[in-house]
Amino acid sequence: KAGVTQTPRYLIKTRGQQVTLSCSPISGHRSVSWYQQTPGQGLQFLFEYFSETQRNKGNFPGRFSGRQFSNSRSEMNVSTLELGDSALYLCASQQPGNYEQYFGPGTRLTVT
Amino acid sequence: KQEVTQIPAALSVPEGENLVLNCSFTDSAIYNLQWFRQDPGKGLTSLLLIQSSQREQTSGRLNASLDKSSGRSTLYIAASQPGDSATYLCAVRLKLSFGAGTTVTVRA
């Protein structure tokens, strides 16, 4: 069974631009969560989607948004990028009734 | 707000020594606790998941214990190998809250 995939793997953007990241969960997994990882703040929860609905949300500004499609694939969007948004963005999926999370390899975003 | 702490932040041991990694959390109302491994620049690999009703989980050389009442979990890695060098993170759920991790170096 294929693991969680994330695209693109690396991205360089300029301050003020916007970016969209994509995550495809493991087949059969309906929940997708997004995390931001930085050296200073560690891993922080962004949001979780289940069956196309946002189920939980972390403490991030409204510039960070996401959505989930009917095939469980998810996208995360960051608008008006700031230098501090440079991070590794990880998504994780889990199957119904099981809290174990499986992570993708991440998207490394650099904002210049 | 759930606070998750991992001590020590870094650990260096000779090959063959047992590893003991600690994780503490402030709110005992958790669904489960999960241990992960992360290699530099990579995603997270799940090692063990302990449900809130369980006391421990084992997988090969790895054993994780959970004491909800004291807000602590310990990950034991027996007979460490150079391939065990990585950062180990624990996370507790409701919303997944992560510790900062313990970076382990196993010297050959």
Side-chain angles (χ1 to χ4, degrees):
Chain A
K1 197 184 259 191
V4 178
T5 59
Q6 292 186 245
T7 57
R9 293 293 311 281
Y10 303 92
L11 205 48
I12 299 175
K13 289 286 189 178
T14 303
R15 199 167 40 176
Q17 288 186 313
Q18 73 158 12
V19 67
T20 299
L21 312 181
S22 180
C23 172
S24 292
I26 293 172
S27 177
H29 289 195
R30 290 163 55 194
S31 169
V32 173
S33 298
W34 288 90
Y35 301 87
Q36 181 195 65
Q37 187 175 34
T38 59
Q41 299 295 319
L43 260 160
Q44 293 186 285
F45 171 76
L46 280 155
F47 26 67
E48 178 188 11
Y49 285 88
F50 177 78
S51 293
E52 302 178 65
T53 302
Q54 188 179 88
R55 187 157 69 171
N56 276 309
K57 189 175 188 302
N59 298 320
F60 277 81
R63 300 185 297 108
F64 292 81
S65 63
R67 58 178 176 168
Q68 187 179 33
F69 302 96
S70 59
N71 62 358
S72 295
R73 189 177 71 85
S74 178
E75 286 182 348
M76 192 192 93
N77 184 276
V78 188
S79 62
T80 320
L81 283 165
E82 301 176 359
L83 296 179
D85 297 332
S86 295
L88 181 66
Y89 289 88
L90 295 162
C91 83
S93 72
Q94 68 186 59
Q95 57 188 337
N98 184 334
Y99 286 112
E100 188 165 9
Q101 295 218 322
Y102 298 86
F103 280 77
T107 294
R108 171 75 62 186
L109 172 65
T110 302
V111 182
T112 62
Chain B
K1 184 194 170 204
Q2 180 74 270
E3 301 282 344
V4 183
T5 304
Q6 290 187 248
I7 294 172
L11 193 55
S12 178
V13 299
E15 183 176 3
E17 192 163 299
N18 296 332
L19 285 162
V20 180
L21 308 179
N22 298 301
C23 172
S24 61
F25 46 94
T26 52
D27 186 347
S28 62
I30 63 171
Y31 285 158
N32 58 50
L33 184 144
Q34 196 167 355
W35 282 95
F36 295 90
R37 168 192 172 130
Q38 186 175 32
D39 294 287
K42 302 286 179 64
L44 277 66
T45 301
S46 177
L47 297 174
L48 290 167
L49 172 72
I50 312 175
Q51 302 292 354
S52 63
S53 58
Q54 297 176 314
R55 298 282 296 189
E56 67 176 344
Q57 275 286 352
T58 298
S59 175
R61 294 185 295 114
L62 276 59
N63 174 276
S65 65
L66 174 63
D67 184 342
K68 266 183 38 176
S69 61
S70 65
R72 286 191 288 193
S73 177
T74 303
L75 177 67
Y76 299 89
I77 304 177
S80 62
Q81 305 166 358
D84 295 329
S85 298
T87 296
Y88 292 82
L89 299 111
C90 70
V92 295
R93 195 173 184 97
L94 301 171
K95 294 179 191 177
L96 215 55
S97 300
F98 282 85
T102 295
T103 299
V104 171
T105 302
V106 180
R107 309 185 303 272

